Structures are given as structure tokens and as C-alpha cells.
């Protein structure tokens, strides 16, 4: 896999576009040092999230699945003056590492990290009755994607963008012998989309440093 042409292209694009800057590199190094899995978005995916959030002038961002806060930092940097990002993480160790990374980067003031299973913390966020979200990144456990997507639509304004990571999973989505909870969650999510009148949506395959995967992108209408 490492000698696949797409890895060379990924390296080339990273170099051409600037990759991660020192603050993001420090977050990656600290996450690796703390033993976190190497499953954060790639630099160019981080850049993609950042520019989408800027395109919708995001003042309120929701992220489900923080890990060490790498994507969180990309997204927090997209916020306008006075903007806020809420990020949900179930694993206390991941949350602790993320909190340190976010603080080192200087975005702690705008990031509100909530520890707990997202399905337990989302109702509280709804109950707080804050402004609707402009951008949502769904990147936690895949079995619950359908439920996370419903929450994301419910908590977002018309015109908001929702990105759902990892909807292809090396083609597992079309492998009939794969009936893991994760893959069933992804399929249930994708197969409901064409009937979902709340959104306009697409899903694209990707290849790169993290192999073959893909994401869905939805516009709330
Ligand atoms: N968005 C991150 C990567 C997230 S990896 C980045 O790109 O930098 C997925 C994360 O979701 C892991 O940290 C995992 O602990 C967390 N997670 C798994 N199940 C969860 C749940 N039920 N609620 C909240 N977070 C969960
Ligand atoms: C895994 C999770 C992710 O969010 C990702 O982007 C890649 C891999 C995983 O659980 O293996
Ligand atoms: Mg992911």
C-alpha cells in the first residue's frame, strides 16, 4: 500500500500546499507520543474542512469525535471573531490530549470540549438552545452515524454544511459479507439520503495517506 501512486501524490500535494504548520505538527507529535491512534484527517482533509467552514462563514461549529484535536484545530482556525466550536469525545484520555493540543495552539478560548458519548451529550447541547450550527463534522463511531446525522440536521441552520467522514472504508460499504456495526451504520446512513428532503447531499471516494475511503457532504436546506 505504501508504494501506491496516491501516496506519492499525497506527499506532493502536501508539499505544494504547505501540509501541517508547526502548531499542527506539534499536536500530531503529542498525540502519537500519548499513544493515540493515527486516524486523524490528513493535512489536506484538514484544509478542506477549514475552507468549507470559512465558505459558510462559520460562527458555530460542531464536531463529533475529537481524538487529539487535529481536525478541531483546523476547524477552530476557520471561526470568525466571536465564533465557538463544540467538540464531543467519549474517551477521557483522548480528550485530555486534545485539551492540551488545543491549549498549545491557542484556540482553547473558542473550543468547548464535552467529554462523554455523543448520544449522551447531544441532547444537552440541544437543550441549551444556542444559535444553530453553521458547520458539522461527524467523525466518531460509525455505527451511530445515522443518529449523529439526524442531530446534526436538527441543530443546524439552513445553509449549513455537514461532513461525514469514513463512509467508504476501503470498499467495505459494498462488501456484502461485511456486516459489522460500523459498516451497517454507514450503509443505513447512505441509503436513507436519497429520500431525505432536509438536505442536498453527495458522497465522494478518496485515496491518500489513509488509504481508500470517502466522505459525504450535505447542505441543509
Ligand atoms: N476528528 C478527529 C479524529 C476522530 S477519531 C481528527 O480528524 O483529528 C474518532 C474519535 O471518536 C475517537 O477519539 C473516539 O474515541 C471517538 N468516539 C468513539 N465513539 C464515540 C462516541 N460514542 N461519542 C463520542 N466520541 C466517540
Ligand atoms: C478510523 C476512524 C476514523 O475516523 C478514520 O478517519 C479512520 C479510521 C478507525 O476507527 O479505524
Ligand atoms: Mg475519520
Amino acid at each position: 500500500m505504501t508504494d501506491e501512486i496516491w501516496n506519492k501524490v499525497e506527499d506532493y500535494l502536501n508539499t505544494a500546499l504547505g501540509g501541517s504548520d508547526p502548531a499542527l505538527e506539534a499536536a500530531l507529535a503529542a498525540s502519537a507520543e500519548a499513544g493515540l491512534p493515527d486516524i486523524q484527517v490528513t493535512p489536506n482533509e484538514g484544509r478542506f474542512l477549514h475552507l468549507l467552514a470559512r465558505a459558510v462563514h462559520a460562527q458555530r461549529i460542531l464536531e463529533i469525535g475529537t481524538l487529539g484535536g487535529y481536525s478541531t484545530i483546523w476547524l477552530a482556525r476557520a471561526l470568525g471573531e466571536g465564533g465557538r466550536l463544540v467538540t464531543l469525545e467519549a474517551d477521557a484520555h483522548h480528550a485530555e490530549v486534545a485539551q492540551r493540543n488545543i491549549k498549545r495552539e491557542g484556540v482553547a478560548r473558542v473550543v468547548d470540549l464535552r467529554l462523554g458519548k455523543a448520544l449522551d451529550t447531544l441532547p444537552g447541547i440541544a437543550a441549551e438552545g444556542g444559535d444553530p450550527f453553521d458547520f458539522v463534522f461527524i467523525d466518531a463511531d460509525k455505527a451511530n452515524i445515522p443518529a449523529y446525522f439526524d442531530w446534526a440536521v436538527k441543530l443546524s441552520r439552513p445553509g449549513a454544511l455537514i461532513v461525514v467522514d469514513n463512509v467508504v472504508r476501503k470498499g467495505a460499504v459494498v462488501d456484502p459479507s461485511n456486516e459489522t456495526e460500523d459498516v451497517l451504520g454507514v450503509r443505513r446512513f447512505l441509503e436513507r439520503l436519497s429520500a431525505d428532503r432536509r438536505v442536498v447531499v453527495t458522497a465522494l471516494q478518496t485515496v491518500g495517506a489513509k488509504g481508500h475511503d470517502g466522505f459525504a457532504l450535505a447542505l441543509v436546506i
Side-chain angles (χ1 to χ4, degrees):
M1 186 79 109
T2 49
D3 53 6
E4 296 280 6
I5 185 67
W6 61 66
N7 286 305
K8 277 193 193 152
V9 174
E10 177 103 35
D11 288 345
Y12 170 79
L13 292 174
N14 272 335
T15 305
L17 277 71
S20 298
D21 60 25
L24 287 159
E25 283 300 325
L28 288 178
S31 296
E33 172 73 20
L36 268 51
D38 187 21
I39 57 173
Q40 66 286 327
V41 294
T42 63
N44 285 320
E45 286 166 352
R47 205 177 288 282
F48 175 68
L49 297 173
H50 175 90
L51 84 79
L52 287 180
R54 288 200 29 186
V56 295
H57 306 287
Q59 286 294 98
R60 289 258 294 160
I61 295 176
L62 174 65
E63 175 178 67
I64 307 180
T66 317
L67 191 64
Y70 182 77
S71 54
T72 316
I73 293 171
W74 274 111
L75 285 169
R77 288 176 175 179
L79 287 168
E81 191 60 38
R84 304 273 298 163
L85 182 155
V86 179
T87 185
L88 312 181
E89 175 54 55
D91 183 298
H93 179 54
H94 295 179
E96 198 184 300
V97 173
Q99 204 67 269
R100 279 202 301 272
N101 284 335
I102 288 161
K103 201 166 168 192
R104 188 186 319 97
E105 160 61 6
V107 288
R109 200 174 38 87
V110 297
V111 175
D112 174 2
L113 194 161
R114 310 263 176 118
L115 179 62
K117 292 192 165 146
L119 288 181
D120 295 336
T121 51
L122 282 162
I125 290 163
E128 285 163 19
D131 289 338
F133 291 103
D134 310 296
F135 187 89
V136 183
F137 181 41
I138 298 176
D139 193 23
D141 53 316
K142 313 308 169 190
N144 284 316
I145 287 177
Y148 295 152
F149 188 72
D150 279 340
W151 274 111
V153 174
K154 186 173 162 193
L155 296 175
S156 296
R157 67 163 166 88
L161 291 176
I162 302 171
V163 174
V164 183
D165 199 22
N166 310 116
V167 300
V168 174
R169 316 221 90 199
K170 300 184 166 46
V173 70
V174 294
D175 172 2
S177 72
N178 190 326
E179 298 215 330
T180 58
E181 283 301 308
D182 281 2
V183 170
L184 290 177
V186 169
R187 282 192 199 122
R188 210 154 21 93
F189 162 62
L190 292 172
E191 289 164 19
R192 285 177 182 176
L193 284 175
S194 68
D196 193 334
R197 300 281 163 252
R198 305 170 300 173
V199 290
V200 176
V201 67
T202 189
L204 296 173
Q205 302 185 67
T206 55
V207 288
K210 302 283 156 73
H212 177 207
D213 212 325
F215 62 88
L217 174 62
L219 171 70
V220 179
I221 55 180

